[in-house]
Amino acid sequence: MRLTQVTEIGMITGEDSPNRTGSRFGVYGTDLGIPWDNGNDEILIAFGDSYGAGWAGSGPGPGHADWRYNVLAGSQTKELANGMELYAAVARPDGTAAQFIETDEDVPEEKTVIPTSGIAVAGVNYVHYMSVRRWGPPGHWHTNHSGMAVSHDHGRTWTRPKQA
């Protein structure tokens, strides 16, 4: 196996990042970021479990710190060598980032919905996700199923088709 050198460019989320996602989108911490070209001259980035003010740095913290299972932001940055500027997020009425893949009411043991990949094909955006049933030891969890969420408006709104 050949190892390559990695160079840190900069933070994307958090109030200390150039994007100031805490004050702009209510996202003070998140656990992953999955970028893809949405086919509309933008890069979308899906974040997993995301937390608002009061986040303690590990898990949801007191009062769950405005925990959202996932959030989605957009960028028009083309050259990523200097970082990624986020211009907007799928938002709730108060302007903070919304959970873009909602829970399925027909899955009573769904603890979170974590995005795992994203792609755009012929103007339609798809996010693959896993529905988590319960947490195990660190780094392990039990899933209900995986599925695809779909957007026909370049990532602005999403549907979660029913599982077969």
Side-chain angles (χ1 to χ4, degrees):
M1 172 171 39
R2 181 176 166 214
L3 299 177
T4 58
Q5 186 171 343
V6 176
T7 302
E8 181 179 328
I9 295 171
M11 293 175 53
I12 295 175
T13 62
E15 192 57 22
D16 295 336
S17 76
N19 288 303
R20 299 178 347 275
T21 60
S23 57
R24 291 179 61 215
F25 307 129
V27 176
Y28 287 82
T30 189
D31 68 352
L32 57 85
I34 299 168
W36 74 96
D37 182 329
N38 77 343
N40 193 41
D41 216 24
E42 300 168 309
I43 294 173
L44 296 182
I45 185 164
F47 297 101
D49 295 313
S50 300
Y51 304 99
W55 180 61
S58 177
H64 297 313
D66 193 15
W67 176 28
R68 285 142 292 167
Y69 297 164
N70 51 72
V71 299
L72 182 74
S75 176
Q76 294 177 327
T77 305
K78 299 293 181 237
E79 178 54 53
L80 300 176
N82 295 319
M84 177 186 281
E85 180 181 342
L86 302 177
Y87 73 90
V90 172
R92 301 185 283 202
D94 67 0
T96 59
Q99 184 169 294
F100 78 102
I101 304 173
E102 293 295 336
T103 57
D104 185 339
E105 295 174 1
D106 295 332
V107 182
E109 294 186 50
E110 191 168 74
K111 301 296 183 207
T112 188
V113 181
I114 300 174
T116 58
S117 65
I119 191 170
V121 179
V124 179
N125 281 261
Y126 302 91
V127 168
H128 184 262
Y129 66 85
M130 65 177 167
S131 166
V132 176
R133 181 177 348 124
R134 72 175 188 272
W135 304 113
H140 296 84
W141 45 87
H142 302 271
T143 60
N144 293 304
H145 61 268
S146 65
M148 291 286 214
V150 181
S151 174
H152 293 277
D153 58 5
H154 305 292
R156 296 339 182 240
T157 61
W158 293 82
T159 59
R160 186 173 159 180
K162 293 292 182 190
Q163 299 295 308

